[in-house]
């Protein structure tokens, strides 16, 4: 694992396409309180291995990703680096660990600030999505290479969605609208960006946001979607962890994952 990685050579580009390098930023500084007390969510074990390690491997599985920047809790960078050093990661991919901030948005910016020159595409990936398939990662990168400033993997909604008037905890909430779900998508990660666009967004947008793509939207730029994957779900609650264990067990049985 390199403390100051230099951009390695990328695979030979397709004829007529310039060489671009891709880095991934994984904010992993959150506590994950909805999973209950204990270690931060990113460090919870999945199949005996911390979710963060699975997430790093998921990014490194793409041959286009040559650097992964892990943004650790502000006082936990040393612990996270030791944890990653203890697990096998693809040798072709450098991993850099930096301390994060108090919010996800601040942590992503700190990860961006740590990127060396020479990386043209940046992925931002949730550590709590440890099982995203490499085909999804590659589809996001390809769409940015094709000229999109921001790309998100997304899935159609299976459930009817209701817009409500928020009420006090435990109180009934009045329904105010039923949006047409055919125009709605559930967004996943990794989200992919032209680096300059993402840097500009983080330097311009100060609102508290839930994802980086919405910051690019606020710049007036178009965000596009590519098909997401059902296994790229976010492990947020205990039941999600049970499902993730089942998916991982199936992969190991079927694919020798």
């Amino acid at each position: 694992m390199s403390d100051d990685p230099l951009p390695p050579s990328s695979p030979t580009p397709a004829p007529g396409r310039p060489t671009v390098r891709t880095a991934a930023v994984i904010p992993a500084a959150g506590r994950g309180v909805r999973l209950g007390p204990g270690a931060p969510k990113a460090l919870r074990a999945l199949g005996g291995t911390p979710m963060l390690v699975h997430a790093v491997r998921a990014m490194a599985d793409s041959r286009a990703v040559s650097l992964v920047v892990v943004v650790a809790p502000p006082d936990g960078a040393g612990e996270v680096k030791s944890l990653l050093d203890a697990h096998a990661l693809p040798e072709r991919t450098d991993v850099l660990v930096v301390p994060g901030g108090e919010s996800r948005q601040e942590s992503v910016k700190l990860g961006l600030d740590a990127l060396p020159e020479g990386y043209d595409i940046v992925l931002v990936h949730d550590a709590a999505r440890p099982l995203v398939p490499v085909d999804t990662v590659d589809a996001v990168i390809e769409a940015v290479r094709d000229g999109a400033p921001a790309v998100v993997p997304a899935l159609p909604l299976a459930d009817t969605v209701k817009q409500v008037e928020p009420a006090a905890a435990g109180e009934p909430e009045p329904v105010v609208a039923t949006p047409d779900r055919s125009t709605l998508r559930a967004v996943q990660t990794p989200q992919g960006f032209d680096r300059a666009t993402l840097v500009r967004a983080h330097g311009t947008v100060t609102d508290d946001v839930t994802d980086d793509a919405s910051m690019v939207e606020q710049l007036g730029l178009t965000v596009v979607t590519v098909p997401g994957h059902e296994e790229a779900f976010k492990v947020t609650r205990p039941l999600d962890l049970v499902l993730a264990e089942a998916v991982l067990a199936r992969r190991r049985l079927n694919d020798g994952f």
Side-chain angles (χ1 to χ4, degrees), residues 136-160:
T136 301
V137 180
D138 287 341
V140 170
I141 295 169
E142 190 69 16
V144 180
R145 282 180 173 169
D146 286 343
V151 181
V152 297
L155 291 175
L157 298 182
D159 298 322
T160 296

Side-chain angles (χ1 to χ4, degrees), residues 227-251:
H229 197 281
E230 61 184 5
E231 292 182 1
F233 62 90
K234 192 172 186 178
V235 179
T236 302
R237 298 175 175 84
L239 186 59
D240 300 327
L241 193 56
V242 173
L243 179 57
E245 291 279 5
V247 171
L248 186 59
R250 189 196 65 194
R251 286 186 181 183

Side-chain angles (χ1 to χ4, degrees), residues 25 69 71 107-116 122 124 195 198-200 202 212:
V25 174
V69 178
V71 188
S107 291
V108 172
K109 186 177 186 306
L110 288 169
L112 273 176
D113 291 343
L115 284 181
V122 181
V124 181
R195 178 179 180 167
L198 186 58
V199 169
R200 179 184 161 205
H202 274 272
D212 297 271

Side-chain angles (χ1 to χ4, degrees), residues 25-35 40-44 46 50-56 58-59 70-71 104 124-132 187-190 230-237 240-241 243-245:
V25 174
I26 302 181
R31 295 297 304 176
V33 293
R34 282 177 286 181
L35 272 179
K41 177 165 54 179
L43 304 185
R44 300 291 180 92
L46 172 60
M51 281 199 292
L52 175 60
V53 174
H54 288 287
V56 172
M59 297 299 98
V70 176
V71 188
R104 181 188 184 280
V124 181
H125 184 56
D126 294 333
R129 297 184 190 271
L131 300 177
V132 57
V187 173
Q188 302 174 324
T189 69
E230 61 184 5
E231 292 182 1
F233 62 90
K234 192 172 186 178
V235 179
T236 302
R237 298 175 175 84
D240 300 327
L241 193 56
L243 179 57
E245 291 279 5

Side-chain angles (χ1 to χ4, degrees), residues 146-225:
D146 286 343
V151 181
V152 297
L155 291 175
L157 298 182
D159 298 322
T160 296
V161 176
K162 298 291 185 183
Q163 182 181 345
V164 301
E165 182 70 33
E171 293 295 318
E173 296 178 323
V175 172
V176 297
T178 303
D180 178 4
R181 73 182 184 192
S182 69
T183 66
L184 301 175
R185 298 293 182 267
V187 173
Q188 302 174 324
T189 69
Q191 298 184 353
F193 305 90
D194 167 74
R195 178 179 180 167
T197 297
L198 186 58
V199 169
R200 179 184 161 205
H202 274 272
T204 304
V205 178
T206 58
D207 299 341
D208 188 22
V209 297
T210 57
D211 75 343
D212 297 271
S214 63
M215 300 174 71
V216 174
E217 291 172 45
Q218 291 188 49
L219 297 180
L221 300 176
T222 299
V223 177
V224 302
T225 69

Side-chain angles (χ1 to χ4, degrees), residues 17-117:
R17 170 172 290 182
T19 299
V20 295
R21 295 187 174 96
T22 301
V25 174
I26 302 181
R31 295 297 304 176
V33 293
R34 282 177 286 181
L35 272 179
K41 177 165 54 179
L43 304 185
R44 300 291 180 92
L46 172 60
T49 300
M51 281 199 292
L52 175 60
V53 174
H54 288 287
V56 172
R57 288 174 176 167
M59 297 299 98
D61 279 345
S62 171
R63 296 190 63 84
V65 175
S66 51
L67 171 65
V68 178
V69 178
V70 176
V71 188
D75 57 352
E79 177 187 358
V80 169
K81 186 176 186 305
S82 296
L83 181 147
L84 293 173
D85 284 340
H87 291 82
L89 299 171
E91 292 185 0
R92 67 173 180 271
T93 306
D94 286 309
V95 179
L96 176 66
V97 179
V98 298
E102 295 303 317
S103 68
R104 181 188 184 280
Q105 193 167 340
E106 183 181 355
S107 291
V108 172
K109 186 177 186 306
L110 288 169
L112 273 176
D113 291 343
L115 284 181
E117 294 299 321

